[in-house]
Amino acid sequence: MAEAVVSFVLERVGDFATQEAKFLSGVSHQVEVAQTELQLMQGFLKDADARQGQDATVQVWVAKTRDAAYDLEDVIETYGLKVASKKKRGIKNILRRFACIFREGVDVRKIGLEIENITAKISNLRLSLQSYNIARVPTEIGGESFSQLHERQRLLRRTYSHVIERDVVGLEYNVEELVMHLVKDENRHRVVSVWGMGGLGKTTLARQVYHHKNVRQHFDSFAWVCVSQRCEIRNVWEGIFIKLVSATKEQRQDIKEMTYDEIAKKLFCVMQEMRCLVILDDIWSIETWNFLNVAFPNEQTESTILLTTRYEAVALPPNRNCFLHKLQPLNENESLALLEKIAIFGRPDIDSGIYSRMRELGRKLLRHCAGLPLAIIVLAGVLSTKNTIKQWEMVNENVYAYIRRGRGHEQEYEGALWVLALSYDDLPYHLKPCFLYLGHYPEDREISVSTLTKLWMAEGLISLRQQRQSLGETMENIAHNCLTELVERCVVQVGRSGSTGTIKTCQIHDLIRDLCLLKAEEESFLQIGYSLQENKATNPVTSSMVAKATPVGKIRRLAIYLDENADRLVSSRDETNGHVRSLLYFVLGEWRPRSEKVLLSPLTDFKVLRVLKVEDVDEVEVELPSEIGNMVHLRFLSVRDSKIKRFPSSLGNLICLQTLDFRVRYVELFIPNVIWKMKQLRHLYLPRRYTASGNLKLSTLGHLQTLDFLSSEYCDLNDVAGLTNLLKLQIRLSLPLENLEEILKSVGSTLNRIQSLLVYNGYYSVRNTSYEEQGNQIVSSCRHIYKLKLDGPTAELPKELHSYPNLTKLELCSCSLKDDQMGILENLPNLTTLLLISEVFEENTKILVFSKGGFPSLQFLSVFRMDEITEWRVEEGAMPSLWRLRMGFCSGLTTLPDGLTYLTNLKELTIFGMPRELHSRIQEDGEDFCKIQHVPSVVIGEPYDPPMQ
């Protein structure tokens, strides 16, 4: 991964040197020489990265190169920021400025020498790699050359059509669906793609289909080819052609003598004239497919190609007549059936007691496989050699190690991990650190995509070059594209999606996390610690699921897991903390420290920290020390959902901050007027309730995209005019605004660009018409929003809302709308998502009516905590496009609307927390079951029993 580190450092140092050249006076020549040396080093790192796993010498050199690049960036940026800080304090005279720098210990000559030393180190490392024939002639490694190693891996991965697995479970439906698409004559697909992560059984499924009786009867000729990552296109064509025509020895010789164009044309004609089935197993890149596709007919053919891949872009590229089959993990019963078939059945003299105990242990062990057939087969293979319950229990104690390596330490390619590692190896260099960053998160943790992408940006893992090449796309969009690509490559799984399909949360398979941590440890990318105690420093990763690897190089990132044994947030002083760039805390379970207050100290040890995340620490008060203002490299600071009462004014020194999240719990936070100094801020999250001395100045934050919450009491709405990149705004009207019409005119151009708006109208207990009118005036100034949330009393909606061209998502909470406002809602032409939460309509509104023709585009509806509603009517013709409905905790509803039967496009229905009477009516023998029996997916949660009076 040194290639990624050096590339990112080169970009950042280059940009810093260009933008802040005036602050690098005195060391600009040394910086230029260092950049040149890094550029020369780049050419050697792709090969060196690939070989470090097989050569300890190369591994050490790569680690030293990685460390040198990081150190160079730290030195240059630290110097530049300190000089910038002095200059901004008004020290104009050059001699006085440098005298001050000397007094502060920032010696220009010393810094220059430090940069020169690092540059010399990089130069020597480059010469060492060059002399070791890196990127030129492969060296012999343990009796096996690097090319031989790759050839052995290629042969091990090669698949064959004649190999039929005996132990196949859970593929029956998949086989039937694929066979149906292959043999149908009308509206048939030229290409059928099977997509899924490594180890899911794509090749096994393809074999089952390939040998299916109906398939063998339907097609005239067959070919199976395993497409490796480094395949020769001509060789693939030859292999297909030879098999389709059943070539003789003489014909094979003729085929070998054909030109590139001749073999492509011959194959094209054969597939056009005959009904052929070609299996392309394990395609890794869209480029490979595009090259191969030249020899495959697009039209006037009855031939079909079935391909398997881990990469969605290969499985379903644009402009192709293709059917995509996404292979899913096995469910619990299928997993157990597969394990039993290999590990239990066929054992002689097994009694019912041992059988039951093995099944019980098998269920426990299978939790670690998460339905991945490869992992289950590897685990079952290990268990099949264990004959006693005691031996099975020993496997249970170290299950990840057994799944990873298979039956024995020497059998490198029998375990599951090496197969999954191929997906990591195939990642482009810019995605590898993004993937490894996921290793910070605890097992089975659902990961917020919004937070993750901001962390990537803060760490500099999002390429600025990509941003320039993407026609002005924001870094946030580039980061989301990176996540999407990781999903498409099946190394990251989608958790929760938004109503428009946007990925909101993600997660990784347990074995992928195992791989992630193993690679992160090998690369010295991060370290995980548990249980910070008074006399106990951060513990390194000791989990049995991670192979013990000796870290080579400096640890740059720390994830601290706070469990029941932890009593503090930061360990005692540690000189190694001076290199740490990320410090992330995760609360495991219910953490209750002995002290009532914990101090984030000594943070001064973390001199180059870029990320500090202290979230969900709500059982104890956390105090941010004033020294945090010295952490001038910080890009990301979040104390979300933690109990913090004080916002130190020294935070104004953090001029590099991109994300500041102060959405604290339980307290009304006092915020000093220093945020205006953080001119690089892109995302600012303030608590819903806070105080300040006077108005918080925000007009200088020209990069700001997210502002949550702007208080009318402590902020000046005029400042919004300077926020020219603002996309998301949440505003709390706690005091009426004077001269609002004039203000809206001055900030109109900014408001007109906003995409997401939340207006919180005062306090729920107080109805103030001035708040409501001013809230509507603000909404009326944001005509290009796609998402709108109104929270608090709002008797009437803006009348022009129906003319907003982009409005697709609307959330209404405790609005107490008048009855006639439903007419405005129903006529919003582009609305696809509607969330109704708690007293949306006036208290005397008891009947909720969705009229004929209303909500023509609505796809998702959520009705939540609307206790005032006692009857819900859905007329025929209402919500014709609705496919997802969620309802919960509406205590007045005891029956479902009859009109649900009209919603023929409804695919998902979720009901939870409703009165017990309604839950009884929707059971299979209930009166309302007929209203929902047409819905394919119905999820019913627990009913709600109101507390006894």
Side-chain angles (χ1 to χ4, degrees):
M1 204 186 64
E3 181 188 12
V5 172
V6 168
S7 298
F8 287 143
V9 168
L10 261 174
E11 283 187 29
R12 294 193 292 268
V13 169
D15 275 23
F16 189 81
T18 301
Q19 297 168 13
E20 311 292 347
K22 59 192 175 202
F23 301 135
L24 294 178
S25 55
V27 296
S28 56
H29 174 68
Q30 289 92 329
V31 171
E32 189 176 330
V33 173
Q35 286 178 270
T36 302
E37 195 56 56
L38 280 177
Q39 287 167 347
L40 292 172
M41 172 63 87
Q42 263 186 309
F44 294 90
L45 290 177
K46 183 183 287 293
D47 191 33
D49 270 339
R51 294 175 59 178
Q52 63 173 323
Q54 288 78 40
D55 191 318
T57 302
V58 176
Q59 184 180 17
V60 171
W61 286 339
V62 166
K64 287 185 175 182
T65 301
R66 188 173 59 234
D67 283 341
Y70 276 135
D71 290 343
L72 179 67
E73 182 185 12
D74 292 340
V75 169
I76 293 172
E77 188 175 283
T78 299
Y79 172 75
L81 289 173
K82 286 188 176 179
V83 174
S85 174
K86 300 303 174 187
K87 205 165 187 180
K88 289 174 182 176
R89 291 180 195 173
I91 303 174
K92 298 179 181 178
N93 182 277
I94 295 177
L95 293 175
R96 284 181 59 203
R97 174 161 63 87
F98 279 102
C100 181
I101 289 173
F102 272 80
R103 285 197 301 271
E104 294 285 332
V106 186
D107 186 328
V108 176
R109 185 170 178 277
K110 180 182 176 183
I111 296 297
L113 286 173
E114 199 168 346
I115 295 173
E116 288 174 1
N117 289 336
I118 295 172
T119 304
K121 187 184 298 183
I122 295 170
S123 179
N124 290 333
L125 286 166
R126 177 173 59 83
L127 293 173
S128 297
L129 290 172
Q130 198 169 357
S131 67
Y132 210 64
N133 292 326
I134 293 293
R136 291 185 179 178
V137 180
T139 57
E140 295 295 317
I141 305 170
E144 179 179 53
S145 74
F146 184 60
S147 59
Q148 287 173 331
L149 178 70
H150 273 284
E151 178 64 14
R152 185 155 67 95
Q153 288 181 332
R154 187 187 68 80
L155 290 174
L156 283 162
R157 288 177 49 221
R158 190 168 184 175
T159 60
Y160 301 91
S161 61
H162 66 273
V163 177
I164 306 294
E165 290 92 342
R166 293 178 297 111
D167 306 311
V168 177
V169 171
L171 290 181
E172 295 82 0
Y173 165 77
N174 299 274
V175 171
E176 288 174 11
E177 183 177 46
L178 289 177
V179 169
M180 178 190 71
H181 281 280
L182 288 174
V183 303
K184 68 179 182 180
D185 292 320
E186 295 182 0
N187 300 318
R188 55 189 304 278
H189 299 282
R190 188 178 72 95
V191 178
V192 175
S193 299
V194 180
W195 171 51
M197 69 179 288
L200 265 182
K202 301 182 294 297
T203 300
T204 301
L205 174 59
R207 282 200 193 100
Q208 297 288 313
V209 171
Y210 187 77
H211 291 284
H212 195 278
K213 181 178 70 173
N214 295 348
V215 171
R216 304 307 287 190
Q217 291 174 349
H218 181 79
F219 291 98
D220 305 320
S221 193
F222 302 85
W224 177 292
V225 179
C226 179
V227 185
S228 68
Q229 288 170 283
R230 297 173 177 81
C231 66
E232 288 287 339
I233 300 300
R234 179 193 169 90
N235 292 343
V236 176
W237 285 343
E238 280 186 18
I240 296 172
F241 186 58
I242 287 170
K243 291 173 183 175
L244 291 181
V245 300
S246 301
T248 63
K249 185 177 180 180
E250 291 76 15
Q251 288 173 324
R252 290 183 182 219
Q253 186 59 41
D254 292 340
I255 292 170
K256 286 189 177 296
E257 293 174 0
M258 289 181 184
T259 65
Y260 190 92
D261 290 340
E262 286 174 340
I263 186 68
K265 188 174 181 180
K266 288 278 187 182
L267 178 56
F268 187 98
C269 292
V270 167
M271 292 184 66
Q272 198 168 45
E273 294 167 1
M274 300 171 63
R275 182 181 285 179
C276 308
L277 174 63
V278 176
I279 308 290
L280 300 176
D281 190 35
D282 205 19
I283 298 187
W284 281 83
S285 72
I286 189 66
E287 290 81 9
T288 300
W289 164 257
N290 289 336
F291 283 129
L292 290 172
N293 193 35
V294 174
F296 303 147
N298 286 315
E299 299 174 351
Q300 298 178 348
T301 180
E302 294 186 44
S303 294
T304 302
I305 296 163
L306 188 151
L307 64 86
T308 71
T309 182
R310 304 185 188 194
Y311 192 13
E312 188 183 24
V314 175
L316 196 59
N319 305 320
R320 194 167 89 198
N321 179 17
C322 178
F323 170 74
L324 174 64
H325 181 84
K326 184 178 179 181
L327 194 55
Q328 301 292 339
L330 301 180
N331 61 34
E332 187 176 336
N333 291 333
E334 290 167 343
S335 298
L336 183 60
L338 180 56
L339 183 135
E340 284 185 318
K341 196 170 186 180
I342 300 170
I344 299 179
F345 293 160
R347 288 177 178 267
D349 305 324
I350 182 172
D351 61 36
S352 59
I354 293 177
Y355 173 72
S356 298
R357 181 61 180 144
M358 283 183 170
R359 274 177 58 93
E360 181 186 342
L361 280 168
R363 287 187 184 277
K364 283 185 180 180
L365 289 160
L366 285 170
R367 289 201 297 266
H368 302 282
C369 299
L372 190 68
L374 173 65
I376 297 169
I377 290 168
V378 170
L379 176 62
V382 171
L383 293 174
S384 68
T385 67
K386 311 297 180 185
N387 297 317
T388 67
I389 297 298
K390 179 71 173 176
Q391 289 175 322
W392 277 50
E393 288 172 342
M394 289 176 65
V395 173
N396 187 37
E397 291 171 5
N398 201 17
V399 58
Y400 274 110
Y402 281 105
I403 294 173
R404 183 172 61 248
R405 72 168 185 258
R407 299 186 188 187
H409 293 275
E410 304 303 321
Q411 292 165 304
E412 181 182 356
Y413 297 104
E414 272 203 27
L417 205 61
W418 83 274
V419 175
L420 301 178
L422 295 171
S423 292
Y424 174 79
D425 295 338
D426 191 59
L427 290 177
Y429 78 83
H430 69 276
L431 287 182
K432 286 183 177 178
C434 293
F435 170 70
L436 294 185
Y437 211 89
L438 295 164
H440 285 88
Y441 288 85
E443 188 176 355
D444 298 326
R445 182 68 59 100
E446 201 162 355
I447 301 168
S448 163
V449 169
S450 175
T451 300
L452 177 64
T453 51
K454 292 177 178 67
L455 290 170
W456 285 349
M457 288 164 49
E459 272 270 16
L461 304 183
I462 302 304
S463 169
L464 298 171
R465 187 179 297 115
Q466 282 181 290
Q467 186 181 7
R468 297 188 192 102
Q469 292 172 349
S470 300
L471 302 177
E473 273 200 271
T474 65
M475 275 203 297
E476 288 76 7
N477 288 341
I478 300 295
H480 276 273
N481 291 342
C482 289
L483 177 74
T484 300
E485 188 169 354
L486 289 173
V487 170
E488 290 173 349
R489 289 174 174 269
C490 292
V491 293
V492 173
Q493 299 170 336
V494 176
R496 180 171 54 84
S497 296
S499 54
T500 59
T502 307
I503 304 173
K504 295 294 185 182
T505 64
C506 65
Q507 54 201 43
I508 52 177
H509 190 284
D510 289 350
L511 285 175
I512 293 288
R513 182 174 181 269
D514 185 0
L515 169 69
C516 184
L517 289 176
L518 185 65
K519 292 293 183 182
E521 192 171 22
E522 289 175 358
E523 299 278 359
S524 300
F525 186 85
L526 70 89
Q527 190 174 75
I528 296 174
Y530 294 83
S531 304
L532 286 170
Q533 297 176 354
E534 192 64 36
N535 297 312
K536 188 175 180 181
T538 305
N539 294 329
V541 179
T542 56
S543 170
S544 61
M545 70 185 210
V546 179
K548 295 295 288 179
T550 303
V552 181
K554 301 169 184 175
I555 299 297
R556 303 282 172 174
R557 297 162 190 88
L558 288 177
I560 309 297
Y561 292 177
L562 300 171
D563 59 15
E564 66 277 2
N565 297 315
D567 59 13
R568 57 196 314 206
L569 288 181
V570 180
S571 62
S572 56
R573 291 184 179 275
D574 185 345
E575 61 180 13
T576 62
N577 291 341
H579 309 298
V580 173
R581 292 180 163 222
S582 283
L583 181 59
L584 285 71
Y585 291 90
F586 297 94
V587 177
L588 304 182
E590 294 186 7
W591 177 54
R592 298 181 185 275
R594 293 190 292 271
S595 172
E596 293 183 0
K597 179 187 289 189
V598 293
L599 181 67
L600 272 174
S601 180
L603 285 175
T604 50
D605 293 339
F606 298 89
K607 297 173 184 176
V608 295
L609 201 66
R610 283 157 166 74
V611 169
L612 178 59
K613 180 175 173 288
V614 191
E615 296 182 351
D616 301 308
V617 182
D618 58 355
E619 294 295 334
V620 62
E621 183 184 337
V622 179
E623 184 174 335
L624 290 178
S626 59
E627 290 84 5
I628 196 172
N630 297 328
M631 301 166 67
V632 293
H633 294 270
L634 266 183
R635 267 79 167 170
F636 180 100
L637 173 59
S638 176
V639 290
R640 182 176 183 177
D641 292 333
S642 294
K643 191 184 290 186
I644 289 184
K645 295 182 179 179
R646 194 171 76 88
F647 188 125
S649 59
S650 63
L651 285 175
N653 298 335
L654 307 182
I655 60 174
C656 292
L657 266 182
Q658 298 172 353
T659 299
L660 176 61
D661 194 337
F662 259 77
R663 288 175 287 185
V664 298
R665 282 191 175 186
Y666 312 125
V667 293
E668 190 170 71
L669 190 69
F670 175 80
I671 300 179
N673 195 1
V674 297
I675 295 175
W676 65 272
K677 299 179 182 179
M678 306 172 186
K679 296 180 182 179
Q680 298 302 315
L681 265 184
R682 304 171 73 89
H683 306 281
L684 174 60
Y685 302 94
L686 298 173
R688 180 168 285 201
R689 300 186 186 280
Y690 57 88
T691 61
S693 55
N695 285 337
L696 294 177
K697 184 180 176 183
L698 302 174
S699 60
T700 58
L701 308 180
H703 295 287
L704 201 66
Q705 296 181 24
T706 305
L707 176 53
D708 171 6
F709 265 91
L710 184 148
S711 166
S712 64
E713 186 173 358
Y714 297 109
C715 300
D716 186 351
L717 191 57
N718 280 299
D719 284 355
V720 172
L723 310 183
T724 54
N725 286 292
L726 194 64
L727 299 175
K728 298 179 181 179
L729 173 64
Q730 299 196 13
I731 182 169
R732 175 172 171 253
L733 296 174
S734 50
L735 281 180
L737 294 163
E738 297 180 4
N739 305 317
L740 181 60
E741 288 188 14
E742 294 180 16
I743 294 173
L744 291 176
K745 287 179 182 178
S746 68
V747 302
S749 60
T750 299
L751 292 180
N752 212 29
R753 287 191 294 268
I754 287 176
Q755 298 176 0
S756 177
L757 175 68
L758 182 154
V759 179
Y760 175 40
N761 285 328
Y763 300 93
Y764 294 131
S765 58
V766 180
R767 181 141 207 168
N768 189 314
T769 55
S770 62
Y771 289 153
E772 299 176 31
E773 291 170 1
Q774 292 195 340
N776 279 350
Q777 283 181 275
I778 293 171
V779 173
S780 298
S781 299
C782 304
R783 291 180 172 267
H784 289 89
I785 51 176
Y786 71 87
K787 179 180 179 181
L788 173 63
K789 179 177 179 180
L790 300 177
D791 193 343
T794 308
E796 295 185 354
L797 298 167
K799 292 183 174 58
E800 65 275 13
L801 207 59
H802 70 278
S803 64
Y804 285 25
N806 303 324
L807 184 60
T808 58
K809 185 172 183 177
L810 179 61
E811 183 174 342
L812 302 174
C813 180
S814 303
C815 293
S816 299
L817 292 170
K818 294 179 181 178
D819 279 347
D820 60 359
Q821 297 301 292
M822 185 56 124
I824 295 178
L825 292 175
E826 288 186 320
N827 288 310
L828 296 176
N830 302 313
L831 193 68
T832 60
T833 301
L834 177 62
L835 289 82
L836 305 176
I837 304 171
S838 181
E839 299 179 11
V840 174
F841 296 96
E842 290 179 316
E843 190 175 351
N844 59 0
T845 302
K846 302 296 183 185
I847 303 175
L848 185 64
V849 180
F850 285 67
S851 305
K852 179 180 181 179
F855 298 106
S857 303
L858 196 66
Q859 298 176 13
F860 173 51
L861 172 64
S862 176
V863 183
F864 186 70
R865 291 199 179 279
M866 292 185 63
D867 298 324
E868 69 277 14
I869 301 299
T870 58
E871 184 181 352
W872 182 13
R873 299 174 188 167
V874 176
E875 296 180 357
E876 186 174 3
M879 303 184 288
S881 303
L882 194 73
W883 66 271
R884 187 175 168 208
L885 172 61
R886 183 179 66 188
M887 54 192 302
F889 293 102
C890 299
S891 60
L893 280 176
T894 57
T895 181
L896 292 179
D898 295 336
L900 288 186
T901 56
Y902 301 135
L903 304 179
T904 55
N905 289 314
L906 190 61
K907 299 292 187 293
E908 297 179 18
L909 173 62
T910 303
I911 299 173
F912 58 96
M914 300 295 283
R916 190 166 291 277
E917 181 180 347
L918 185 144
H919 277 259
S920 299
R921 294 174 64 96
I922 58 178
Q923 302 304 315
E924 286 196 25
D925 57 350
E927 298 172 61
D928 283 2
F929 179 73
C930 60
K931 302 174 185 178
I932 61 173
Q933 63 180 353
H934 66 289
V935 182
S937 174
V938 179
V939 178
I940 302 174
E942 292 296 318
Y944 173 70
D945 292 316
M948 299 292 292
Q949 298 293 328

